[in-house]
């Protein structure tokens, strides 16, 4: 089985909604916020450093573990299970930022992803762990 495992350092970042502004001609133009662009670039960079040119083809499995540092920040004390993080960003937005960062780099089209898992947990160090593998 072909597999690439890598770690994106820092606090997990969720995909932000596109922003819409009017250009000089009065037309609405959508753009991706800088924070999202930067994070997707980081995801690509870390993958490329680890993958040694690997591009996945066929059916793909992606597992994402978003790890948040435990703190006394607002909301943490409301969690009934201290190992799971229920604060923002939402799991689906973290997933989207990671997958969009890898699209066209780790695989040609994210339609190839047939098995996808994400978890948000607390840990000692904020990071996102990603495992990509072929499905046989």
């Amino acid at each position: 089985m072909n597999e690439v495992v890598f770690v994106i350092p820092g606090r997990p970042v969720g995909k932000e909604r596109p922003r819409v502004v009017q250009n000089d001609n009065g037309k609405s133009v959508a753009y991706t916020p800088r924070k999202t662009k930067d994070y997707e670039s980081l995801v690509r960079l870390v993958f490329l450093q680890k993958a040694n040119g690997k591009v996945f083809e066929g059916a793909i499995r992606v597992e994402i573990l978003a790890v948040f540092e435990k703190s006394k920040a607002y909301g943490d004390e409301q969690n009934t299970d201290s190992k799971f993080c229920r604060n923002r960003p939402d799991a689906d937005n973290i997933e989207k930022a990671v997958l969009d960062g890898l699209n066209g780099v780790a695989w040609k089209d994210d339609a190839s992803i047939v098995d996808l898992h994400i978890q948000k947990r607390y840990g000692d160090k904020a990071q996102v762990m990603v495992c990509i593998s072929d499905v046989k």
Side-chain angles (χ1 to χ4, degrees), residues 51-86:
N52 296 323
K54 172 73 178 152
V55 176
F56 288 86
E57 297 178 5
I60 302 167
R61 171 182 295 118
V62 179
E63 298 172 72
I64 301 169
L65 175 60
V67 181
F68 295 80
E69 286 185 47
K70 183 129 176 130
S71 70
K72 292 294 182 188
Y74 172 76
D76 288 353
E77 66 278 356
Q78 296 174 355
N79 288 328
T80 56
D81 188 339
S82 62
K83 68 182 176 180
F84 295 107
C85 176
R86 300 186 321 183

Side-chain angles (χ1 to χ4, degrees), residues 19-108:
R19 305 289 189 247
V20 178
V21 296
Q22 288 189 347
N23 66 12
D24 295 337
N25 298 330
K27 293 185 181 181
S28 294
V29 178
Y31 72 94
T32 302
R34 171 67 48 201
K35 183 177 178 182
T36 296
K37 277 184 167 182
D38 290 348
Y39 191 72
E40 289 175 358
S41 294
L42 175 62
V43 170
R44 274 191 295 282
L45 177 66
V46 174
F47 171 79
L48 290 170
Q49 289 174 341
K50 186 71 175 186
N52 296 323
K54 172 73 178 152
V55 176
F56 288 86
E57 297 178 5
I60 302 167
R61 171 182 295 118
V62 179
E63 298 172 72
I64 301 169
L65 175 60
V67 181
F68 295 80
E69 286 185 47
K70 183 129 176 130
S71 70
K72 292 294 182 188
Y74 172 76
D76 288 353
E77 66 278 356
Q78 296 174 355
N79 288 328
T80 56
D81 188 339
S82 62
K83 68 182 176 180
F84 295 107
C85 176
R86 300 186 321 183
N87 296 333
R88 294 192 182 273
D90 298 346
D92 61 325
N93 292 331
I94 296 167
E95 174 185 293
K96 188 73 174 153
V98 171
L99 297 183
D100 285 356
L102 295 171
N103 202 31
V105 177
W107 48 74
K108 291 181 182 174

Side-chain angles (χ1 to χ4, degrees), residues 1-8 60-66 94-95 98-99 102 107 113-119 128-135:
M1 174 190 303
N2 288 318
E3 179 178 270
V4 174
V5 178
F6 60 100
V7 175
I8 305 157
I60 302 167
R61 171 182 295 118
V62 179
E63 298 172 72
I64 301 169
L65 175 60
I94 296 167
E95 174 185 293
V98 171
L99 297 183
L102 295 171
W107 48 74
I113 300 169
V114 299
D115 190 1
L116 178 61
H117 300 272
I118 182 163
Q119 288 187 25
V128 176
M129 294 180 261
V130 181
C131 177
I132 306 169
S133 59
D134 294 321
V135 176

